[in-house]
Amino acid sequence: MARPKVFVTRHIPDEGLTRIAAAAEVDVWPEQMPPSYEVLRERVRDCDGLVSLLTDRIDGPLLDASPKLKVVSNFAVGFNNIDVPACTQRGVCVGNTPGVLTDATADTAVTLLLVAARCVGQSSADAKEGRWLTWEPRGWLGQDLAGRTIGIVGMGRIGFAVAKRLHGGWGMKVVYTEQVPRPEADEEFGAQRVALEELLAQSDFVSAHVDLNATTQGMFGAAQFAKMKRTAVFVNTARGPLVDQSALANALRTGTIFAAGLDVTDPEPLPPGHELYKLPNCVIVPHIASATVGTRNAMARLCAENVLAGVGGHPLPNWVNPEVAERRKK
């Protein structure tokens, strides 16, 4: 029998590529920038499997042009780039890579919080560019962490890991928002589940960890930043479109909040001349939350397992739309 064909839209780590190549004919997009939608549609039209990234739009027309496609394996926890209902309707499995990013992303959130709170970005730039003239009694004054309050917006796995680090390391009080109570957070941290408005008013640090959907898009805007303390630090390692970036820039510029640390923006990459880059109290990194060797290797392994299970007609280890199995029985 002919080996299944799999298109991989970027060079993922060999931990995944080697596994896929051992069982399938693999076509890997060779360039640094992702393929255009038109190129993607052409390359996947006779494939059984697709390994995609968040930069790849997978929608109904692309699926209709790919009648052999059985599975889309996303190299990410999120899957906002994929029209999951369209995949389900056509019997195409969708997989993702949850769990393995938790610690790396939590570490990045805490790193951004520290860097923003202690003016590391601004002071480092001043030192490098010759503006550090002497020891400054009133220079580069940041915010204290010990005993402060961390507000976790979305107490999922990553939010829980961030709370654990900040409560255990700095004795922070933990408040959080979540659709349902998280008794394990209450027990381990003495955490309190509160409404978003109360969280914003109480917290010295606010860290976003919610999914991007119709109800969360733009959830951090001018009204929300106005409710935060003037000494507050805002951190986003979830998704860029959660934030109204113009409102955030204004809040930082006017001193409505103290600082921000962003791993994600809208769009990505943020254009070099964007106003947020010009603000000394805003730290931006290029979506590096999962960028550790161990984490990216683990993501690649999960991607490979998902796509190979899908092309083989088996249940995906990490299945976004398991209802496809029932649909296929009909």
Side-chain angles (χ1 to χ4, degrees), residues 285-306:
V285 294
H287 206 148
I288 63 168
S290 65
T292 70
V293 173
T295 299
R296 292 284 170 85
N297 282 342
M299 291 172 66
R301 287 194 296 271
L302 290 185
C303 250
E305 291 168 4
N306 283 334

Side-chain angles (χ1 to χ4, degrees), residues 73-108:
S73 180
N74 220 36
F75 188 77
V77 174
F79 41 86
N80 301 99
N81 58 307
I82 301 172
D83 187 337
V84 176
C87 288
T88 303
Q89 184 180 16
R90 293 160 177 80
V92 176
C93 305
V94 177
N96 67 338
T97 62
V100 295
L101 288 74
T102 298
D103 284 330
T105 304
D107 288 345
T108 301

